[in-house]
Amino acid sequence: MAEKATSRGPARRFWSLPRKRRGAPGRHKPDEIMHQDIVPLCAADIQEQLKKRFAYLSGGRGQDGSPVITFPDYPAFSEIPDKEFQNVMTYLTSIPSLQDAGIGFILVIDRRQDRWTSVKASVLRIAASFPANLQLVLVLRPTGFFQRTLSDIAFKFNRDDFKMKVPVMMLSSVPELHGYIDKSQLTEDLGGTLDYCHSRWLCHRTAIESFALMVKQTAQMLQTFGTELAETELPNDVQSTSLVLSVHTEKKAKAKEDLQLALKEGNGILESLREPLAESTSHSVNQDQLDNQATVQRLLAQLNETEAAFDEFWAKHQQKLEQCLQLRHFEQGFREVKTTLDSMSQKIAAFTDVGNSLAHVQHLLKDLTSFEEKSSVAVDRARALSLEGQQLIENKHYAVDSIHPKCEELQHLCDHFATEITRRRGLLSKSLELHSLLEMSMKWCDEGIFLLASQPVDKCQSQDGAEAALQEIEKFLETGAENKIQELNKIYKEYECILNQDLLEHVQKVFQKQESTEEMFHRRQASLKKLAAKQTRPVQPVAPRPEALTKSPSPSPGSWRSSEGSSSEGGALRRGPYRRAKSEMSESRQGRTSSTGDEEESLAILRRHVMNELLDTERAYVEELLCVLEGYAAEMDNPLMAHLISTGLQNKKSILFGNMEEIYHFHNRIFLRDLESCIDCPELVGRCFLERMEEFQIYEKYCQNKPRSESLWRQCSDCPFFQECQKKLDHKLSLDSYLLKPVQRITKYQLLLKEMLKYSKNCEGAEDLQEALSSILGILKAVNDSMHLIAITGYDGNLSDLGKLLMQGSFSVWTDHKKGHTKVKELARFKPMQRHLFLHEKAVLFCKKREENGEGYEKAPSYSYKQSLNMTAVGITENVKGDAKKFEIWYNAREEVYIIQAPTPEIKAAWVNEIRKVLTSQLQACREASQHRALEQSHSLPLPAPSSTSPTKGGNSRNVKKLEDRKTDPLSLEGYVSSSSLPKPPEKGKGWSKTSHSLEAPEEDGGWSSAEELINSSDAEEDGGLGPGKLVPGKYTVVMDDEKEGPDTLAMRTGDMVEVVEEGAEGLWYVRDLTSSKEGWVPASSLSTLLGKSSSAQCLSSSGKTYCARQLCPEPAKILSPEPV
C-alpha cells in the first residue's frame, strides 16, 4: 500500500488563523471581517451609497474616545431610502474597534442651512434606525433667524418627541460644538482642524477590505492545497513519483505566486496609508487612520506567518517526495542490477569447461577476461548503487528498513561474482599450467621422434657414426627433466580440481606416449652402444691346404669329408666372421624396421600439426564471425546507434551481411564440434567434411550475395556507424576485411585437406580425405560457376529450368548455317566471335562477355545472352582437322554448326568429355524408354528401307507417309523421342569401331552468316549413309540380296535385321542375322553394299570423334541402336 506524503497534524498548522473576538453583537474589528460567519457589508458593496456623503466617519473622537459620526448638511436627506440609510449606518458603525464602539457613538448633525421640519425629521429618523450605542447627539440647528426661533419654540414644545436613551443637544453655533468636541477632532466644515477627504477614505476602506478578502482566500487556498498534499499517497514507481513531485511543485509555485501578490498589495496599501504622514511630519493622524494601518499590518503579519508555515510544511513534503523518488530510483536500479548479476552468476556457473588443449584453454581464458570486462559495468553499477543506498541511510531517509537489506544483498552478489570469477580463473590457470606441461611433453616426444627419424641407419653402422648418434640421444634425454612428466600420481594430486574424465585420459595418453618415446630412445641407445663398442675386423678367406689340392684334383665325397674333419679349426675361424656378419644383418633389419616405425610416427605428428592448424583457424574463424555479428550486425538494430546509420544503409543488413549468421551457427554448433571429435584421429577428419557437405552449400548463397554486399560497402564505407563499431571492437581492419572471411575460409579447407592427405596415404581415412577434397573442390567450382551464372543478363527464361550448370568458359566461335534444304559450302571469312559458353544438363548457352569498370566485385564481368541450344538436338564432332583445340557442336542434323576453339587442348578435352556424358546419358534414357515400349508391343513393326533422303520399306508405305508427314530428318531424334527420355550412349570401349567418323572442318578462318555453311569433307556422312570403312557395331536393315553367297559366308536377304558385332582380321566383320538367327563373317566391302545407306541408331564411335542423338526410329515403339559387344 502506498505511503502517505505527510501527516494531517503538521499540515494544518500553517493555515490556522486567529478566531473571532467576543464583543458586542455585530461589532467587529475591521481586520476580523473575514472571520465573520455572516458576510459583513463591504465598502465595495455600498460604494455608491457612501459616495452620497450624507453621513461619514471622519475619525474624530470625543473626549472619552467615542467615535464621531458626522451628518453634514444634505438637502435630500429625507429622500434617502431606508435600506440605503440602514446599510450606511450599519457599515459606519462596524468600522471602529469593539472597544471604541462599546463607549458609544457621538452624532454631529449639521442642519444650519436646513429648516426646522427637516431637522426634526432627520433627528427622529437617525434616532430610530441607528444600529449601535449612542452616547451623545449634537445638532447644529438652522442659523436663519426665523428657523432658529422656530426651532427653539418647537424644541421646547416637542421635547418629548426627542426623548432618547442619550441626550440630544441643540447647538446654535459651531463654537458651542467645540465645547463638546475638540476642534482637532472635527473637520474643517465644522470649524475643526481634522484632515479628512471622503473619496480618499472610501478608497482606503475599499482597498483594506479587498486585501482582507485576498488574505482570507489565500489562506483557504493554502488550506486546500495542504490537505491535498497531506492526503497524497506516495507512488510505487519512478515515473509516477516524478509526475507527482512535478505536479506538486507546480502547484506550490502557483500558491507562492498568489501569496506574493497578496503581500505586494498589502504593502502597497500600507504605504498609501502612511503617505500623508510621509509628506508632512506635522500632519496629524486620526484614530481611524491608525486603526487602518494596524489592520493592514496585522494582515501582512498573518500572511508572512502563513508563508513561513507553508514553506516549512512544503520543505518537509518536498523532502519526502524527493526521498520517495530516490527510493524508487534505488529500487528500480536494484531490480535491474540484481537481474543482471543473477544472469551473470548463472553464466559463470555454467562456465565449467576447463579446455581440451592449450589453445582451447587460452581461448577460454580470453573469453573469461572478455566476460569479466563486459560484466565489470554491471558490477561497478551494483557497487555504486550500494554506496548510493548507504548515502541515503546516512541522510536519514524515511525508508532505511527497506534500503539497508538491499545494500547488503548487492554487496553479497558482487562479492560472490568476484569470488566465482577468481575461482574460475584459478581453475583455468591450473588447466593452462597442466596443458602447457602436456604440450611440452608432447613437443619433447615429437622432437625426439624427429631426432630418431633423422638419424640415418647406414651411418650409424660405423663406430664414429654410432657414437655421434649416441651423443645426440644422450644430449636430448638430458632435456627431458624439464619437459616431460615426472610423476603421474603427483600430477593427479596437484591438478585434481580440474581433472575430468577427458582430461584424465589425455594425461594418461601423453604419459604413455612419453614412456613409449623413452623406450624407443632406450632401444636405440642400446643398439648404438653395441655398435659403438664393436671391434670390426675384415673377413679374410681361408685357402685350402696345398696337400689336398695335389692329392686329388677332383676329390671324392669322402675326401671332402676328411678334409672338412681335418680342418675343423679353420672352419671355426671361417664361421666366426660369418656369424658376426649375420648378426650385423639382423641388427640392420631391426634398424630398418625401427626406422619404418619412426617414419610412421613422424607422419602422425605431421597429421596432428595439420589438425591443430585446422582447429585453431576454425576457432578463430568462428570467433571473428561472432565478433562481426555482435559488433556490427546487431548494432544496426540498436536504437542508440540509429542516428549514426546513413539513409543508404537503413534496412539493408541482409544485403551487407548476407547469410553470415547461418554460416556462423553451422560452424559454431556443428562443424567445430565435429572437428574437435577428430583431434585424436586426424586422418579421419575427411568424414566430417563428407557428412556436412550439404551444409557447405550455404557458402554458394553467401558468395552470390557478395557483389551486392561489396557495392553497398563502397557506397557507405565512410558512414560514422562503421567507424564507431570498429572503435568499440578495437579492430585494426575495417568491416570489408571481415566480410571476406567466409570466402577465404571455404578456399582454405582444400589446402588443409591436401596437406592432411599428403601425410595420410596409407591410413584408414585416406579415401575419405580424397573424396572430401574432391567435394570441396566441387563446391568451389560450383561457387565460382554460380558467380558467373548470376551475371547473365537478357535471358527470358528461368536458368534453373536448364538443370545443373556443368561447365562454363570463354571460347572463340565460328558459326555455319544451312539455307533451307540447299547447302552453301563457302568458307566463313570473318574473325571468330568471342563467346562465353554455359553448359547445362539440358541446354548450352552462348553469351557475350562484357567487362565492367570498377573495383573489387564491381569489376566482375557480365554476360549478355545471345542464344541457347537444346541438348536433345545437339551433336558434337570431337576433332577438327588442323587444330587440336577445336571441336564442333552441331544442331538439328547439322542445320547449325558451331566450331568451338578452346584456349588449351586440356580445356577442349574436358568440355568434350562433359558433353559426351550428357549425350550418352540421353541415349541411355532413350534406349531404356524404347525397350520398355518394345516389351509392351506384341510384335515388332517392320523397318522402312533406307533411301538418300528418307527411310523407306517395301510394302509399307504407311510408315513412309508418317515420316514424310513429320517433315523431319529421318536420322534426327526429334519427333520420335520426347525431351523427357534423354538418350544415353553405351559404355565406352566395348566393341566400338576404330574408324573415324569425324567431320573435318577447313582450317581457314572466315566470317559467318546464316546463309553460309562450312564445307564438310564427307557428303555421305552428312547424309547419314555408310561409306566404305565407316562401319560401326550396331543393328542394321539389309537393303539388297547377297548375290555372292559362299559356303563360309553368311547369306542375307532384303529386309533382314542384322547386328554388326565386331571387326575381325583381313577386313571381315562378324555379323549376326537376327531374322534367321545365323552368324558368320562378312567382308567389309560386301557388308557396306548390302547395308547401303541404312543408318545405325547412333553415330557414336569408340574413338569419340563424332557424337549425335540421331536414330532410325520409324515408329515410336521401336528404336534401333548399336548394341555394344
Side-chain angles (χ1 to χ4, degrees), residues 253-273:
K254 181 67 171 60
K256 287 284 290 185
E257 184 180 350
D258 294 342
L259 198 61
Q260 292 299 322
L261 288 175
L263 287 170
K264 183 178 180 181
E265 183 171 349
N267 289 322
I269 294 172
L270 187 61
E271 289 180 6
S272 177
L273 292 174

Side-chain angles (χ1 to χ4, degrees), residues 271-291:
E271 289 180 6
S272 177
L273 292 174
R274 291 174 177 174
E275 185 177 354
L277 185 62
E279 292 176 355
S280 175
T281 55
S282 61
H283 179 77
S284 61
V285 180
N286 59 47
Q287 188 61 42
D288 284 352
Q289 291 175 335
L290 292 175
D291 289 344

Side-chain angles (χ1 to χ4, degrees), residues 803-847:
K804 182 181 178 181
L805 177 63
L806 304 175
M807 302 191 77
Q808 54 86 23
S810 295
F811 299 89
S812 298
V813 179
W814 291 265
T815 61
D816 170 27
H817 299 275
K818 289 184 179 180
K819 291 183 178 180
H821 295 287
T822 62
K823 299 177 183 177
V824 180
K825 297 181 178 180
E826 296 181 358
L827 292 175
R829 302 189 181 279
F830 296 96
K831 292 183 179 180
M833 298 176 292
Q834 299 302 317
R835 291 289 182 263
H836 200 89
L837 272 61
F838 294 87
L839 177 62
H840 293 261
E841 291 176 326
K842 297 182 182 180
V844 56
L845 270 61
F846 289 76
C847 299

Side-chain angles (χ1 to χ4, degrees), residues 60 116 172 439 963 1084:
W116 167 248
S172 301
E439 197 79 13
L963 291 176

